[in-house]
């Protein structure tokens, strides 16, 4: 009888402890956790151009249609000086959840961003994004490349 009472106490105490635990979403890979922690702490106050900030936020959140809405129909796009197809490049980037991990500096009235970037299968490295804005406020060119 004493053993049965002890077992009852242990089971009851364990179930109370389990009820107090909150449900957490746990990333499946260590790199996902690191990316979430960095992104959540990123200071975007350096992004002083409102249109750049909105496009940046769309890229960070993976919102492809919103990101594209800030650009002209067929913007010029270069990657390390090579002209590439803008939409094909960023469709691939969105599929691989590519995004900035930090902002090191912002120049050119808020239209040039430098920082660490997670590039999916290619890893993490320093990059620049240089947005070119037309008279209507849309981006008609984006130059990206590896930073220093």
């Amino acid at each position: 009888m004493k053993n049965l009472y002890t077992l009852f106490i242990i089971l009851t105490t364990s179930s109370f402890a389990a009820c107090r635990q909150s449900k957490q979403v746990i990333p499946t890979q260590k790199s996902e956790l690191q990316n979430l922690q960095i992104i959540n702490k990123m200071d975007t106050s350096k992004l002083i151009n409102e249109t750049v900030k909105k496009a940046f936020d769309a890229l960070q959140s993976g919102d492809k249609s919103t990101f594209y809405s800030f650009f002209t129909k067929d913007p010029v796009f270069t990657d390390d000086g090579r002209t590439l197809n803008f939409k094909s490049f960023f469709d691939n980037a969105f599929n691989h959840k590519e995004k900035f991990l930090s902002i090191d500096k912002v120049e050119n009235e808020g239209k040039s961003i430098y920082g660490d970037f997670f590039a999916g299968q290619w890893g993490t490295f320093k990059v620049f994004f240089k947005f070119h804005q037309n008279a209507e406020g849309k981006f008609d060119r984006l130059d990206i490349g590896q930073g220093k």
Side-chain angles (χ1 to χ4, degrees):
M1 185 70 164
K2 184 177 179 183
N3 289 340
L4 184 59
Y5 180 74
T6 304
L7 180 61
F8 175 77
I9 296 294
I10 291 171
L11 291 175
T12 306
T13 307
S14 298
S15 66
F16 287 138
C19 290
R20 288 191 310 254
Q21 295 176 357
S22 62
K23 184 177 181 181
Q24 295 180 12
V25 176
I26 300 172
T28 57
Q29 296 179 353
K30 184 178 178 182
S31 62
E32 289 178 26
L33 176 60
Q34 290 169 336
N35 288 345
L36 287 172
Q37 289 171 338
I38 290 168
I39 291 164
N40 289 337
K41 294 179 184 179
M42 189 182 317
D43 177 14
T44 59
S45 66
K46 298 175 188 177
L47 302 176
I48 58 172
N49 179 297
E50 280 302 311
T51 310
V52 169
K53 183 173 182 349
K54 289 176 185 176
F56 180 91
D57 289 343
L59 176 66
Q60 293 298 99
S61 68
D63 186 346
K64 172 164 48 169
S65 62
T66 299
F67 180 76
Y68 291 146
S69 74
F70 295 104
F71 291 85
T72 58
K73 183 178 179 182
D74 193 22
V76 174
F77 172 66
T78 66
D79 179 8
D80 283 327
R82 294 177 320 225
T83 301
L84 300 173
N85 182 284
F86 173 78
K87 190 155 182 334
S88 295
F89 182 91
F90 278 97
D91 279 349
N92 186 52
F94 279 108
N95 288 339
H96 290 100
K97 298 179 180 15
E98 296 182 10
K99 61 187 65 167
F100 274 88
L101 300 177
S102 68
I103 300 171
D104 296 334
K105 68 179 176 177
V106 178
E107 298 178 334
N108 188 25
E109 299 172 348
K111 293 180 279 196
S112 297
I113 304 170
Y114 300 81
D116 290 322
F117 193 81
F118 171 70
Q121 63 191 5
W122 307 111
T124 301
F125 47 89
K126 300 271 184 207
V127 299
F128 65 82
F129 274 47
K130 296 181 179 182
F131 294 84
H132 301 264
Q133 203 166 14
N134 67 16
E136 290 82 41
K138 293 266 191 173
F139 301 120
D140 56 7
R141 180 182 182 110
L142 177 60
D143 299 307
I144 70 170
Q146 289 194 44
K148 298 174 185 169

